Amino acid sequence: DSVLKDDGWQVHKGQWSIKDGALVQAGTTHPSDSITGDVVYVGDSSWNNYTLTVKGTILAGSEGFLIPICVGDKDNNIFWNLGGWGNTVSCLEIVENGIKSGQVSGTAKSIRLSKNKTYEIKIVVEDQRICCYLDGKLYIDYKPATATPLYETASIDANGDIILKFVNTTSHIMDINVALQSIDLSQYNTTASVVSLSSGSLADVNS
Protein backbone atom coordinates (compact mmCIF):
# COMPACT_ATOMS: atom_id res chain seq x y z
CA ASP A 1 0.00 0.00 0.00
CA SER A 2 1.39 3.45 -0.91
CA VAL A 3 0.57 4.88 2.54
CA LEU A 4 2.77 2.27 4.23
CA LYS A 5 5.64 3.00 1.84
CA ASP A 6 5.33 6.79 2.12
CA ASP A 7 5.44 6.65 5.93
CA GLY A 8 8.45 4.31 5.98
CA TRP A 9 6.67 1.23 7.31
CA GLN A 10 8.52 -2.05 6.72
CA VAL A 11 6.31 -5.05 6.02
CA HIS A 12 8.10 -8.24 7.06
CA LYS A 13 5.32 -10.81 6.65
CA GLY A 14 1.55 -10.82 6.31
CA GLN A 15 -1.25 -9.39 4.16
CA TRP A 16 -1.28 -5.75 5.29
CA SER A 17 -3.27 -2.83 3.89
CA ILE A 18 -4.84 0.48 4.92
CA LYS A 19 -8.65 0.48 5.14
CA ASP A 20 -10.65 3.43 6.44
CA GLY A 21 -7.52 4.86 8.05
CA ALA A 22 -6.65 1.64 9.90
CA LEU A 23 -3.84 -0.86 9.37
CA VAL A 24 -5.48 -4.23 8.62
CA GLN A 25 -3.98 -7.71 8.53
CA ALA A 26 -6.07 -9.96 6.27
CA GLY A 27 -4.43 -13.27 7.16
CA THR A 28 -6.12 -15.37 9.84
CA THR A 29 -4.15 -18.63 9.57
CA HIS A 30 -0.75 -19.50 11.05
CA PRO A 31 1.77 -16.66 10.48
CA SER A 32 4.26 -16.88 7.63
CA ASP A 33 7.14 -16.39 10.09
CA SER A 34 6.76 -18.51 13.21
CA ILE A 35 9.41 -16.48 15.06
CA THR A 36 8.20 -12.89 14.54
CA GLY A 37 4.64 -13.50 13.37
CA ASP A 38 3.15 -11.46 10.51
CA VAL A 39 4.49 -8.03 11.34
CA VAL A 40 4.98 -4.44 10.18
CA TYR A 41 7.82 -2.33 11.62
CA VAL A 42 7.89 1.46 11.99
CA GLY A 43 10.17 3.85 13.85
CA ASP A 44 13.90 4.01 14.54
CA SER A 45 15.94 1.15 15.98
CA SER A 46 17.99 3.68 17.98
CA TRP A 47 14.98 4.66 20.15
CA ASN A 48 15.34 3.60 23.79
CA ASN A 49 12.80 5.83 25.59
CA TYR A 50 9.36 6.08 24.00
CA THR A 51 5.65 5.34 24.37
CA LEU A 52 3.77 3.33 21.75
CA THR A 53 -0.03 3.64 21.73
CA VAL A 54 -2.33 1.83 19.32
CA LYS A 55 -5.96 0.79 19.05
CA GLY A 56 -6.51 -2.84 18.13
CA THR A 57 -9.56 -4.81 17.07
CA ILE A 58 -9.75 -8.55 16.42
CA LEU A 59 -11.86 -9.01 13.29
CA ALA A 60 -11.25 -12.73 12.75
CA GLY A 61 -8.92 -15.54 13.74
CA SER A 62 -8.30 -17.47 16.94
CA GLU A 63 -5.70 -15.22 18.62
CA GLY A 64 -5.00 -11.56 19.42
CA PHE A 65 -2.10 -9.18 18.74
CA LEU A 66 1.69 -9.31 18.43
CA ILE A 67 3.11 -5.87 19.22
CA PRO A 68 6.85 -5.56 18.40
CA ILE A 69 9.03 -3.26 20.54
CA CYS A 70 12.76 -2.76 21.13
CA VAL A 71 13.35 -3.79 17.52
CA GLY A 72 16.92 -4.04 16.29
CA ASP A 73 15.82 -6.07 13.27
CA LYS A 74 13.57 -9.05 12.57
CA ASP A 75 16.06 -11.37 14.29
CA ASN A 76 16.52 -9.22 17.42
CA ASN A 77 13.47 -7.75 19.12
CA ILE A 78 10.90 -8.08 21.87
CA PHE A 79 7.16 -8.35 21.34
CA TRP A 80 4.05 -8.35 23.47
CA ASN A 81 2.06 -11.46 22.63
CA LEU A 82 -1.40 -10.32 23.63
CA GLY A 83 -3.88 -13.16 23.26
CA GLY A 84 -1.50 -15.91 22.24
CA TRP A 85 -1.79 -19.65 22.84
CA GLY A 86 -5.34 -19.76 21.52
CA ASN A 87 -6.29 -16.37 23.05
CA THR A 88 -5.41 -17.44 26.59
CA VAL A 89 -2.08 -15.74 27.45
CA SER A 90 -0.53 -12.27 27.64
CA CYS A 91 3.28 -12.24 27.85
CA LEU A 92 6.51 -10.85 26.45
CA GLU A 93 8.65 -12.91 24.10
CA ILE A 94 12.24 -12.16 23.12
CA VAL A 95 13.84 -12.87 19.76
CA GLU A 96 17.64 -12.97 19.86
CA ASN A 97 19.69 -13.87 16.80
CA GLY A 98 16.60 -15.41 15.23
CA ILE A 99 15.74 -17.60 18.24
CA LYS A 100 12.47 -17.01 20.11
CA SER A 101 12.46 -17.34 23.90
CA GLY A 102 8.91 -18.45 24.61
CA GLN A 103 7.06 -16.80 27.50
CA VAL A 104 9.42 -14.49 29.42
CA SER A 105 9.39 -15.42 33.11
CA GLY A 106 7.30 -13.09 35.25
CA THR A 107 5.36 -11.54 32.35
CA ALA A 108 2.70 -14.19 31.61
CA LYS A 109 -0.93 -13.67 32.62
CA SER A 110 -4.19 -15.31 31.62
CA ILE A 111 -6.36 -13.29 29.25
CA ARG A 112 -9.33 -13.64 26.91
CA LEU A 113 -9.90 -11.00 24.23
CA SER A 114 -13.20 -10.44 22.42
CA LYS A 115 -13.76 -10.07 18.69
CA ASN A 116 -14.97 -6.74 17.28
CA LYS A 117 -14.04 -4.86 20.44
CA THR A 118 -11.51 -2.04 20.14
CA TYR A 119 -8.76 -2.18 22.76
CA GLU A 120 -6.46 0.64 23.88
CA ILE A 121 -2.90 -0.73 23.88
CA LYS A 122 0.03 1.22 25.35
CA ILE A 123 3.65 0.19 25.80
CA VAL A 124 6.15 2.40 27.63
CA VAL A 125 9.86 1.74 27.08
CA GLU A 126 12.27 3.48 29.46
CA ASP A 127 15.84 2.28 29.01
CA GLN A 128 15.65 -1.40 30.11
CA ARG A 129 12.13 -1.23 31.57
CA ILE A 130 9.01 -2.21 29.61
CA CYS A 131 5.46 -1.52 30.88
CA CYS A 132 2.46 -2.83 28.92
CA TYR A 133 -1.09 -1.55 29.43
CA LEU A 134 -4.41 -2.80 28.08
CA ASP A 135 -7.34 -0.38 28.44
CA GLY A 136 -5.37 1.47 31.12
CA LYS A 137 -4.61 -1.65 33.18
CA LEU A 138 -0.97 -2.56 33.74
CA TYR A 139 -0.37 -6.12 32.52
CA ILE A 140 3.44 -6.24 32.34
CA ASP A 141 6.19 -4.41 34.24
CA TYR A 142 9.42 -5.99 33.07
CA LYS A 143 13.07 -5.21 33.60
CA PRO A 144 15.57 -7.89 32.59
CA ALA A 145 17.93 -9.16 35.24
CA THR A 146 21.51 -8.06 34.80
CA ALA A 147 23.59 -11.00 33.65
CA THR A 148 26.51 -12.02 35.81
CA PRO A 149 29.61 -11.34 33.69
CA LEU A 150 31.52 -14.43 34.83
CA TYR A 151 30.58 -17.87 36.12
CA GLU A 152 33.22 -20.29 37.39
CA THR A 153 33.58 -23.69 39.03
CA ALA A 154 36.46 -25.91 40.17
CA SER A 155 36.31 -29.67 40.77
CA ILE A 156 38.37 -32.87 40.73
CA ASP A 157 37.11 -35.66 38.47
CA ALA A 158 37.31 -39.44 38.94
CA ASN A 159 40.80 -39.52 37.42
CA GLY A 160 42.06 -36.96 39.91
CA ASP A 161 42.31 -34.21 37.30
CA ILE A 162 41.48 -30.65 38.28
CA ILE A 163 38.67 -29.27 36.12
CA LEU A 164 38.24 -25.50 35.95
CA LYS A 165 35.27 -24.09 34.06
CA PHE A 166 34.68 -20.43 33.22
CA VAL A 167 31.76 -18.84 31.38
CA ASN A 168 32.27 -15.28 30.13
CA THR A 169 28.87 -13.77 29.27
CA THR A 170 30.36 -10.53 27.96
CA SER A 171 31.68 -9.68 24.50
CA HIS A 172 35.20 -8.84 25.70
CA ILE A 173 38.21 -10.76 27.01
CA MET A 174 38.53 -11.01 30.79
CA ASP A 175 41.68 -11.50 32.90
CA ILE A 176 41.13 -14.07 35.66
CA ASN A 177 43.26 -14.90 38.72
CA VAL A 178 42.68 -18.41 40.13
CA ALA A 179 43.63 -19.42 43.68
CA LEU A 180 43.09 -23.11 44.60
CA GLN A 181 43.12 -23.82 48.32
CA SER A 182 43.44 -27.01 50.41
CA ILE A 183 45.04 -28.98 47.57
CA ASP A 184 48.63 -30.16 46.94
CA LEU A 185 49.45 -28.84 43.48
CA SER A 186 52.92 -30.42 43.42
CA GLN A 187 51.45 -33.67 42.06
CA TYR A 188 50.17 -31.94 38.93
CA ASN A 189 51.86 -30.82 35.73
CA THR A 190 52.50 -27.11 35.28
CA THR A 191 50.64 -27.09 31.94
CA ALA A 192 46.97 -27.66 31.24
CA SER A 193 44.67 -28.56 28.36
CA VAL A 194 42.13 -25.93 27.28
CA VAL A 195 38.76 -26.50 25.60
CA SER A 196 37.09 -23.28 24.42
CA LEU A 197 33.44 -22.96 23.31
CA SER A 198 31.81 -19.77 22.06
CA SER A 199 28.50 -18.53 20.68
CA GLY A 200 26.93 -15.28 19.58
CA SER A 201 23.76 -15.93 21.60
CA LEU A 202 23.16 -16.26 25.35
CA ALA A 203 20.24 -18.58 24.45
CA ASP A 204 22.56 -21.28 23.09
CA VAL A 205 23.43 -24.32 25.22
CA ASN A 206 26.26 -26.84 25.20
CA SER A 207 24.66 -30.18 24.30
Side-chain angles (χ1 to χ4, degrees):
D1 189 285
S2 61
V3 176
L4 295 180
K5 293 179 181 179
D6 293 343
D7 286 349
W9 295 64
Q10 299 178 21
V11 178
H12 172 53
K13 294 290 185 179
Q15 305 171 45
W16 298 94
S17 62
I18 299 294
K19 294 183 179 178
D20 299 324
L23 180 63
V24 178
Q25 156 69 317
T28 58
T29 58
H30 292 292
S32 303
D33 190 325
S34 61
I35 303 299
T36 64
D38 294 338
V39 64
V40 174
Y41 298 122
V42 66
D44 192 317
S45 60
S46 67
W47 293 350
N48 55 22
N49 289 277
Y50 59 90
T51 298
L52 171 67
T53 56
V54 297
K55 294 181 179 180
T57 306
I58 303 173
L59 302 177
S62 59
E63 296 198 339
F65 313 102
L66 295 178
I67 314 294
I69 49 177
C70 305
V71 177
D73 53 39
K74 68 178 182 63
D75 293 325
N76 296 277
N77 56 80
I78 300 174
F79 59 85
W80 185 9
N81 191 339
L82 184 52
W85 285 268
N87 195 15
T88 62
V89 174
S90 158
C91 70
L92 290 182
E93 293 187 77
I94 297 175
V95 179
E96 183 181 12
N97 295 326
I99 300 174
K100 185 167 63 173
S101 66
Q103 300 176 14
V104 173
S105 177
T107 70
K109 288 185 177 180
S110 298
I111 198 171
R112 175 70 67 178
L113 302 176
S114 301
K115 285 187 173 66
N116 300 311
K117 175 183 177 180
T118 299
Y119 292 93
E120 299 277 351
I121 301 167
K122 182 173 76 170
I123 303 176
V124 180
V125 178
E126 295 181 346
D127 298 320
Q128 296 295 313
R129 186 180 182 186
I130 300 171
C131 294
C132 303
Y133 300 83
L134 181 67
D135 288 340
K137 179 182 177 181
L138 179 63
Y139 268 72
I140 294 172
D141 187 346
Y142 172 72
K143 187 174 182 179
T146 302
T148 301
L150 180 70
Y151 296 87
E152 70 282 337
T153 181
S155 62
I156 299 178
D157 67 10
N159 297 321
D161 294 331
I162 299 174
I163 308 296
L164 304 178
K165 294 182 180 179
F166 302 95
V167 179
N168 178 4
T169 65
T170 72
S171 59
H172 58 268
I173 296 174
M174 301 181 68
D175 292 326
I176 301 171
N177 292 320
V178 178
L180 298 177
Q181 299 177 348
S182 302
I183 185 171
D184 181 10
L185 296 178
S186 63
Q187 59 184 308
Y188 294 95
N189 294 329
T190 56
T191 60
S193 299
V194 177
V195 177
S196 179
L197 303 176
S198 64
S199 171
S201 173
L202 292 176
D204 288 346
V205 296
N206 175 23
S207 59

mmCIF file of all heavy atoms in Angstrom, residues 84-109:
data_model
loop_
_atom_site.group_PDB
_atom_site.id
_atom_site.type_symbol
_atom_site.label_atom_id
_atom_site.label_comp_id
_atom_site.label_asym_id
_atom_site.label_seq_id
_atom_site.Cartn_x
_atom_site.Cartn_y
_atom_site.Cartn_z
ATOM 1 N N GLY A 84 -2.108 -14.743 22.865
ATOM 2 C CA GLY A 84 -1.496 -15.909 22.237
ATOM 3 C C GLY A 84 -1.981 -17.213 22.847
ATOM 4 O O GLY A 84 -2.840 -17.225 23.729
ATOM 5 N N TRP A 85 -1.425 -18.316 22.344
ATOM 6 C CA TRP A 85 -1.791 -19.652 22.840
ATOM 7 C C TRP A 85 -3.316 -19.842 22.832
ATOM 8 O O TRP A 85 -3.925 -20.186 23.849
ATOM 9 C CB TRP A 85 -1.205 -19.896 24.237
ATOM 10 C CG TRP A 85 0.271 -20.180 24.203
ATOM 11 C CD1 TRP A 85 0.878 -21.400 24.128
ATOM 12 C CD2 TRP A 85 1.328 -19.213 24.198
ATOM 13 N NE1 TRP A 85 2.250 -21.245 24.077
ATOM 14 C CE2 TRP A 85 2.552 -19.913 24.126
ATOM 15 C CE3 TRP A 85 1.367 -17.818 24.247
ATOM 16 C CZ2 TRP A 85 3.782 -19.292 24.101
ATOM 17 C CZ3 TRP A 85 2.584 -17.182 24.222
ATOM 18 C CH2 TRP A 85 3.777 -17.921 24.148
ATOM 19 N N GLY A 86 -3.895 -19.573 21.649
ATOM 20 C CA GLY A 86 -5.341 -19.761 21.516
ATOM 21 C C GLY A 86 -6.146 -18.733 22.271
ATOM 22 O O GLY A 86 -7.217 -19.048 22.801
ATOM 23 N N ASN A 87 -5.606 -17.464 22.360
ATOM 24 C CA ASN A 87 -6.294 -16.374 23.047
ATOM 25 C C ASN A 87 -6.462 -16.664 24.536
ATOM 26 O O ASN A 87 -7.529 -16.468 25.119
ATOM 27 C CB ASN A 87 -7.663 -16.092 22.404
ATOM 28 C CG ASN A 87 -8.244 -14.761 22.840
ATOM 29 O OD1 ASN A 87 -7.556 -13.910 23.401
ATOM 30 N ND2 ASN A 87 -9.529 -14.574 22.588
ATOM 31 N N THR A 88 -5.356 -17.123 25.152
ATOM 32 C CA THR A 88 -5.408 -17.436 26.591
ATOM 33 C C THR A 88 -4.300 -16.764 27.394
ATOM 34 O O THR A 88 -4.369 -16.751 28.624
ATOM 35 C CB THR A 88 -5.306 -18.956 26.834
ATOM 36 O OG1 THR A 88 -4.044 -19.435 26.338
ATOM 37 C CG2 THR A 88 -6.439 -19.704 26.144
ATOM 38 N N VAL A 89 -3.272 -16.207 26.725
ATOM 39 C CA VAL A 89 -2.084 -15.743 27.446
ATOM 40 C C VAL A 89 -1.661 -14.357 26.961
ATOM 41 O O VAL A 89 -1.712 -14.053 25.771
ATOM 42 C CB VAL A 89 -0.900 -16.725 27.253
ATOM 43 C CG1 VAL A 89 0.380 -16.162 27.882
ATOM 44 C CG2 VAL A 89 -1.221 -18.072 27.869
ATOM 45 N N SER A 90 -1.239 -13.521 27.909
ATOM 46 C CA SER A 90 -0.531 -12.269 27.638
ATOM 47 C C SER A 90 0.876 -12.416 28.198
ATOM 48 O O SER A 90 1.056 -12.796 29.357
ATOM 49 C CB SER A 90 -1.238 -11.083 28.319
ATOM 50 O OG SER A 90 -0.337 -9.997 28.506
ATOM 51 N N CYS A 91 1.909 -12.120 27.378
ATOM 52 C CA CYS A 91 3.281 -12.236 27.852
ATOM 53 C C CYS A 91 4.222 -11.520 26.895
ATOM 54 O O CYS A 91 3.848 -11.172 25.771
ATOM 55 C CB CYS A 91 3.710 -13.705 27.978
ATOM 56 S SG CYS A 91 3.921 -14.535 26.389
ATOM 57 N N LEU A 92 5.443 -11.296 27.343
ATOM 58 C CA LEU A 92 6.512 -10.851 26.454
ATOM 59 C C LEU A 92 7.242 -12.068 25.913
ATOM 60 O O LEU A 92 7.343 -13.111 26.578
ATOM 61 C CB LEU A 92 7.512 -9.959 27.199
ATOM 62 C CG LEU A 92 7.058 -8.564 27.628
ATOM 63 C CD1 LEU A 92 8.218 -7.832 28.308
ATOM 64 C CD2 LEU A 92 6.530 -7.751 26.457
ATOM 65 N N GLU A 93 7.750 -11.921 24.680
ATOM 66 C CA GLU A 93 8.655 -12.907 24.105
ATOM 67 C C GLU A 93 9.851 -12.161 23.524
ATOM 68 O O GLU A 93 9.726 -11.040 23.042
ATOM 69 C CB GLU A 93 7.965 -13.732 23.027
ATOM 70 C CG GLU A 93 6.857 -14.622 23.572
ATOM 71 C CD GLU A 93 6.297 -15.560 22.516
ATOM 72 O OE1 GLU A 93 6.958 -16.565 22.204
ATOM 73 O OE2 GLU A 93 5.204 -15.262 22.001
ATOM 74 N N ILE A 94 11.012 -12.781 23.587
ATOM 75 C CA ILE A 94 12.240 -12.160 23.123
ATOM 76 C C ILE A 94 12.804 -12.966 21.964
ATOM 77 O O ILE A 94 12.891 -14.198 22.029
ATOM 78 C CB ILE A 94 13.283 -12.087 24.254
ATOM 79 C CG1 ILE A 94 12.763 -11.209 25.397
ATOM 80 C CG2 ILE A 94 14.615 -11.544 23.735
ATOM 81 C CD1 ILE A 94 13.681 -11.181 26.616
ATOM 82 N N VAL A 95 13.162 -12.254 20.897
ATOM 83 C CA VAL A 95 13.841 -12.873 19.758
ATOM 84 C C VAL A 95 15.281 -12.388 19.758
ATOM 85 O O VAL A 95 15.537 -11.187 19.694
ATOM 86 C CB VAL A 95 13.159 -12.514 18.424
ATOM 87 C CG1 VAL A 95 13.908 -13.146 17.259
ATOM 88 C CG2 VAL A 95 11.697 -12.957 18.423
ATOM 89 N N GLU A 96 16.223 -13.322 19.867
ATOM 90 C CA GLU A 96 17.645 -12.973 19.864
ATOM 91 C C GLU A 96 18.369 -13.836 18.848
ATOM 92 O O GLU A 96 18.334 -15.064 18.914
ATOM 93 C CB GLU A 96 18.265 -13.179 21.252
ATOM 94 C CG GLU A 96 19.724 -12.763 21.322
ATOM 95 C CD GLU A 96 20.339 -12.991 22.690
ATOM 96 O OE1 GLU A 96 19.702 -13.675 23.529
ATOM 97 O OE2 GLU A 96 21.450 -12.507 22.929
ATOM 98 N N ASN A 97 18.991 -13.175 17.878
ATOM 99 C CA ASN A 97 19.695 -13.875 16.803
ATOM 100 C C ASN A 97 18.807 -14.924 16.135
ATOM 101 O O ASN A 97 19.247 -16.030 15.808
ATOM 102 C CB ASN A 97 20.978 -14.526 17.323
ATOM 103 C CG ASN A 97 21.998 -13.510 17.796
ATOM 104 O OD1 ASN A 97 22.097 -12.420 17.233
ATOM 105 N ND2 ASN A 97 22.745 -13.837 18.823
ATOM 106 N N GLY A 98 17.536 -14.545 15.939
ATOM 107 C CA GLY A 98 16.597 -15.410 15.228
ATOM 108 C C GLY A 98 16.008 -16.530 16.052
ATOM 109 O O GLY A 98 15.280 -17.380 15.516
ATOM 110 N N ILE A 99 16.267 -16.548 17.361
ATOM 111 C CA ILE A 99 15.736 -17.597 18.244
ATOM 112 C C ILE A 99 14.732 -16.975 19.199
ATOM 113 O O ILE A 99 15.036 -15.995 19.878
ATOM 114 C CB ILE A 99 16.864 -18.275 19.035
ATOM 115 C CG1 ILE A 99 17.876 -18.916 18.089
ATOM 116 C CG2 ILE A 99 16.289 -19.331 19.989
ATOM 117 C CD1 ILE A 99 19.091 -19.474 18.782
ATOM 118 N N LYS A 100 13.525 -17.550 19.249
ATOM 119 C CA LYS A 100 12.466 -17.014 20.109
ATOM 120 C C LYS A 100 12.507 -17.680 21.476
ATOM 121 O O LYS A 100 12.671 -18.894 21.595
ATOM 122 C CB LYS A 100 11.102 -17.218 19.449
ATOM 123 C CG LYS A 100 9.945 -16.603 20.205
ATOM 124 C CD LYS A 100 8.676 -16.565 19.364
ATOM 125 C CE LYS A 100 8.187 -17.944 19.001
ATOM 126 N NZ LYS A 100 6.877 -17.902 18.326
ATOM 127 N N SER A 101 12.295 -16.873 22.532
ATOM 128 C CA SER A 101 12.463 -17.341 23.905
ATOM 129 C C SER A 101 11.295 -18.161 24.428
ATOM 130 O O SER A 101 11.453 -18.958 25.333
ATOM 131 C CB SER A 101 12.655 -16.135 24.826
ATOM 132 O OG SER A 101 11.460 -15.349 24.875
ATOM 133 N N GLY A 102 10.094 -17.955 23.918
ATOM 134 C CA GLY A 102 8.914 -18.446 24.606
ATOM 135 C C GLY A 102 8.471 -17.405 25.623
ATOM 136 O O GLY A 102 8.935 -16.263 25.614
ATOM 137 N N GLN A 103 7.589 -17.760 26.530
ATOM 138 C CA GLN A 103 7.059 -16.805 27.504
ATOM 139 C C GLN A 103 8.167 -16.344 28.460
ATOM 140 O O GLN A 103 8.801 -17.164 29.119
ATOM 141 C CB GLN A 103 5.929 -17.437 28.306
ATOM 142 C CG GLN A 103 4.750 -17.887 27.465
ATOM 143 C CD GLN A 103 3.680 -18.590 28.283
ATOM 144 O OE1 GLN A 103 3.670 -18.542 29.504
ATOM 145 N NE2 GLN A 103 2.752 -19.241 27.596
ATOM 146 N N VAL A 104 8.396 -15.024 28.520
ATOM 147 C CA VAL A 104 9.417 -14.493 29.418
ATOM 148 C C VAL A 104 8.925 -14.620 30.858
ATOM 149 O O VAL A 104 7.799 -14.214 31.192
ATOM 150 C CB VAL A 104 9.726 -13.026 29.085
ATOM 151 C CG1 VAL A 104 10.655 -12.417 30.119
ATOM 152 C CG2 VAL A 104 10.348 -12.922 27.697
ATOM 153 N N SER A 105 9.756 -15.184 31.704
ATOM 154 C CA SER A 105 9.390 -15.424 33.107
ATOM 155 C C SER A 105 8.940 -14.135 33.787
ATOM 156 O O SER A 105 9.578 -13.095 33.670
ATOM 157 C CB SER A 105 10.584 -16.018 33.853
ATOM 158 O OG SER A 105 10.297 -16.203 35.223
ATOM 159 N N GLY A 106 7.814 -14.223 34.502
ATOM 160 C CA GLY A 106 7.301 -13.090 35.255
ATOM 161 C C GLY A 106 6.398 -12.161 34.474
ATOM 162 O O GLY A 106 5.860 -11.210 35.034
ATOM 163 N N THR A 107 6.205 -12.432 33.160
ATOM 164 C CA THR A 107 5.362 -11.543 32.349
ATOM 165 C C THR A 107 4.045 -12.187 31.927
ATOM 166 O O THR A 107 3.175 -11.497 31.389
ATOM 167 C CB THR A 107 6.100 -11.080 31.081
ATOM 168 O OG1 THR A 107 6.250 -12.187 30.164
ATOM 169 C CG2 THR A 107 7.466 -10.506 31.416
ATOM 170 N N ALA A 108 3.881 -13.484 32.130
ATOM 171 C CA ALA A 108 2.697 -14.188 31.615
ATOM 172 C C ALA A 108 1.493 -14.030 32.538
ATOM 173 O O ALA A 108 1.601 -14.152 33.759
ATOM 174 C CB ALA A 108 3.007 -15.669 31.416
ATOM 175 N N LYS A 109 0.347 -13.727 31.912
ATOM 176 C CA LYS A 109 -0.933 -13.667 32.618
ATOM 177 C C LYS A 109 -2.011 -14.276 31.730
ATOM 178 O O LYS A 109 -1.917 -14.248 30.502
ATOM 179 C CB LYS A 109 -1.318 -12.220 32.953
ATOM 180 C CG LYS A 109 -0.486 -11.578 34.049
ATOM 181 C CD LYS A 109 -1.020 -10.199 34.391
ATOM 182 C CE LYS A 109 -0.237 -9.569 35.533
ATOM 183 N NZ LYS A 109 -0.757 -8.222 35.882
#
